Tab-separated table of all heavy atoms in Angstrom:
chain	number	residue	atom	x	y	z
A	8	SER	N	-0.944	21.830	2.014
A	8	SER	CA	-0.978	23.194	1.490
A	8	SER	C	0.138	24.047	2.058
A	8	SER	O	0.502	25.060	1.519
A	8	SER	CB	-2.305	23.843	1.750
A	8	SER	OG	-2.502	24.022	3.150
A	9	HIS	N	0.667	23.640	3.188
A	9	HIS	CA	1.763	24.425	3.798
A	9	HIS	C	3.065	23.629	3.622
A	9	HIS	O	3.149	22.455	3.907
A	9	HIS	CB	1.490	24.790	5.228
A	9	HIS	CG	1.280	23.646	6.174
A	9	HIS	ND1	0.512	22.536	5.855
A	9	HIS	CD2	1.710	23.421	7.429
A	9	HIS	CE1	0.494	21.701	6.896
A	9	HIS	NE2	1.208	22.207	7.843
A	10	SER	N	4.076	24.325	3.121
A	10	SER	CA	5.292	23.636	2.756
A	10	SER	C	6.196	23.329	3.971
A	10	SER	O	7.222	22.678	3.814
A	10	SER	CB	6.103	24.503	1.774
A	10	SER	OG	6.379	25.778	2.362
A	11	ASP	N	5.839	23.803	5.181
A	11	ASP	CA	6.641	23.565	6.335
A	11	ASP	C	6.265	22.291	7.104
A	11	ASP	O	6.586	22.126	8.253
A	11	ASP	CB	6.630	24.743	7.264
A	11	ASP	CG	5.275	25.101	7.770
A	11	ASP	OD1	4.278	24.628	7.175
A	11	ASP	OD2	5.152	25.877	8.740
A	12	ALA	N	5.506	21.385	6.436
A	12	ALA	CA	5.183	20.118	7.077
A	12	ALA	C	6.450	19.310	7.288
A	12	ALA	O	7.263	19.136	6.380
A	12	ALA	CB	4.183	19.348	6.197
A	13	THR	N	6.618	18.837	8.486
A	13	THR	CA	7.851	18.114	8.822
A	13	THR	C	7.728	16.659	8.457
A	13	THR	O	6.652	16.139	8.220
A	13	THR	CB	8.118	18.243	10.337
A	13	THR	OG1	7.094	17.575	11.054
A	13	THR	CG2	8.218	19.694	10.760
A	14	GLU	N	8.871	16.030	8.434
A	14	GLU	CA	8.884	14.566	8.141
A	14	GLU	C	8.152	13.805	9.262
A	14	GLU	O	7.477	12.800	8.971
A	14	GLU	CB	10.332	14.105	8.040
A	14	GLU	CG	10.442	12.645	7.585
A	14	GLU	CD	11.874	12.229	7.368
A	14	GLU	OE1	12.753	13.082	7.130
A	14	GLU	OE2	12.098	10.999	7.405
A	15	ALA	N	8.241	14.282	10.476
A	15	ALA	CA	7.530	13.640	11.598
A	15	ALA	C	6.029	13.686	11.399
A	15	ALA	O	5.313	12.707	11.671
A	15	ALA	CB	7.913	14.255	12.923
A	16	GLU	N	5.506	14.814	10.901
A	16	GLU	CA	4.079	14.945	10.648
A	16	GLU	C	3.683	13.971	9.519
A	16	GLU	O	2.651	13.297	9.622
A	16	GLU	CB	3.727	16.373	10.247
A	16	GLU	CG	3.823	17.355	11.391
A	16	GLU	CD	3.688	18.774	10.950
A	16	GLU	OE1	3.983	19.083	9.783
A	16	GLU	OE2	3.262	19.622	11.782
A	17	ASN	N	4.451	13.913	8.488
A	17	ASN	CA	4.171	13.006	7.408
A	17	ASN	C	4.236	11.544	7.852
A	17	ASN	O	3.406	10.731	7.425
A	17	ASN	CB	5.118	13.254	6.194
A	17	ASN	CG	4.822	14.546	5.492
A	17	ASN	OD1	3.753	15.133	5.638
A	17	ASN	ND2	5.814	15.040	4.757
A	18	ASN	N	5.159	11.220	8.700
A	18	ASN	CA	5.255	9.855	9.240
A	18	ASN	C	4.064	9.534	10.095
A	18	ASN	O	3.568	8.397	10.062
A	18	ASN	CB	6.567	9.691	10.005
A	18	ASN	CG	7.792	9.639	9.104
A	18	ASN	OD1	7.655	9.413	7.928
A	18	ASN	ND2	8.939	9.894	9.693
A	19	HIS	N	3.585	10.495	10.863
A	19	HIS	CA	2.389	10.320	11.722
A	19	HIS	C	1.177	9.976	10.849
A	19	HIS	O	0.401	9.089	11.137
A	19	HIS	CB	2.143	11.507	12.600
A	19	HIS	CG	0.819	11.439	13.302
A	19	HIS	ND1	0.605	10.565	14.401
A	19	HIS	CD2	-0.343	12.069	13.092
A	19	HIS	CE1	-0.653	10.732	14.775
A	19	HIS	NE2	-1.222	11.604	13.994
A	20	ILE	N	0.998	10.784	9.773
A	20	ILE	CA	-0.083	10.572	8.874
A	20	ILE	C	-0.009	9.184	8.205
A	20	ILE	O	-1.004	8.442	8.158
A	20	ILE	CB	-0.152	11.677	7.801
A	20	ILE	CG1	-0.446	13.027	8.456
A	20	ILE	CG2	-1.166	11.357	6.721
A	20	ILE	CD1	-0.215	14.208	7.542
A	21	ASP	N	1.177	8.850	7.749
A	21	ASP	CA	1.380	7.505	7.158
A	21	ASP	C	1.032	6.411	8.119
A	21	ASP	O	0.353	5.444	7.762
A	21	ASP	CB	2.851	7.422	6.682
A	21	ASP	CG	3.095	6.153	5.918
A	21	ASP	OD1	2.761	6.094	4.707
A	21	ASP	OD2	3.673	5.208	6.538
A	22	ALA	N	1.490	6.546	9.377
A	22	ALA	CA	1.208	5.506	10.397
A	22	ALA	C	-0.288	5.435	10.693
A	22	ALA	O	-0.820	4.304	10.859
A	22	ALA	CB	1.976	5.819	11.671
A	23	GLN	N	-0.965	6.561	10.749
A	23	GLN	CA	-2.426	6.572	11.027
A	23	GLN	C	-3.174	5.873	9.892
A	23	GLN	O	-4.084	5.069	10.133
A	23	GLN	CB	-2.900	8.029	11.182
A	23	GLN	CG	-4.348	8.133	11.578
A	23	GLN	CD	-4.629	7.650	12.942
A	23	GLN	OE1	-3.731	7.544	13.828
A	23	GLN	NE2	-5.877	7.325	13.241
A	24	ILE	N	-2.778	6.142	8.669
A	24	ILE	CA	-3.449	5.525	7.501
A	24	ILE	C	-3.207	4.047	7.497
A	24	ILE	O	-4.128	3.221	7.289
A	24	ILE	CB	-2.974	6.168	6.206
A	24	ILE	CG1	-3.353	7.655	6.144
A	24	ILE	CG2	-3.508	5.395	5.011
A	24	ILE	CD1	-4.813	7.925	6.198
A	25	ARG	N	-1.965	3.616	7.763
A	25	ARG	CA	-1.633	2.214	7.800
A	25	ARG	C	-2.388	1.499	8.917
A	25	ARG	O	-2.781	0.336	8.813
A	25	ARG	CB	-0.158	1.986	7.883
A	25	ARG	CG	0.548	2.353	6.585
A	25	ARG	CD	2.059	2.135	6.625
A	25	ARG	NE	2.692	2.637	5.441
A	25	ARG	CZ	2.650	2.069	4.266
A	25	ARG	NH1	2.048	0.920	4.111
A	25	ARG	NH2	3.248	2.640	3.232
A	26	LEU	N	-2.570	2.165	10.034
A	26	LEU	CA	-3.284	1.580	11.168
A	26	LEU	C	-4.760	1.339	10.798
A	26	LEU	O	-5.337	0.301	11.061
A	26	LEU	CB	-3.177	2.511	12.407
A	26	LEU	CG	-3.996	2.079	13.628
A	26	LEU	CD1	-3.394	0.812	14.217
A	26	LEU	CD2	-3.993	3.204	14.631
A	27	MET	N	-5.374	2.357	10.181
A	27	MET	CA	-6.781	2.270	9.834
A	27	MET	C	-7.034	1.316	8.652
A	27	MET	O	-8.040	0.594	8.667
A	27	MET	CB	-7.338	3.657	9.458
A	27	MET	CG	-7.502	4.596	10.612
A	27	MET	SD	-8.760	4.013	11.770
A	27	MET	CE	-7.802	3.847	13.254
A	28	LEU	N	-6.175	1.363	7.667
A	28	LEU	CA	-6.450	0.584	6.420
A	28	LEU	C	-5.557	-0.616	6.226
A	28	LEU	O	-5.641	-1.317	5.198
A	28	LEU	CB	-6.307	1.524	5.204
A	28	LEU	CG	-7.266	2.727	5.193
A	28	LEU	CD1	-6.950	3.638	4.012
A	28	LEU	CD2	-8.702	2.247	5.128
A	29	GLY	N	-4.673	-0.915	7.188
A	29	GLY	CA	-3.764	-2.025	7.047
A	29	GLY	C	-4.399	-3.360	6.773
A	29	GLY	O	-3.822	-4.169	6.016
A	30	ARG	N	-5.545	-3.562	7.301
A	30	ARG	CA	-6.291	-4.838	7.097
A	30	ARG	C	-6.593	-5.067	5.638
A	30	ARG	O	-6.722	-6.173	5.168
A	30	ARG	CB	-7.553	-4.807	7.922
A	30	ARG	CG	-8.433	-5.991	7.761
A	30	ARG	CD	-9.652	-5.909	8.611
A	30	ARG	NE	-10.455	-7.068	8.494
A	30	ARG	CZ	-11.605	-7.266	9.026
A	30	ARG	NH1	-12.101	-6.300	9.781
A	30	ARG	NH2	-12.282	-8.343	8.879
Side-chain angles (χ1 to χ4, degrees):
S8 66
H9 59 318
S10 60
D11 60 344
T13 65
E14 187 175 338
E16 290 171 335
N17 289 341
N18 289 340
H19 170 73
I20 294 168
D21 186 80
Q23 184 69 19
I24 297 301
R25 290 182 187 283
L26 176 68
M27 288 295 120
L28 299 175
R30 176 180 183 185

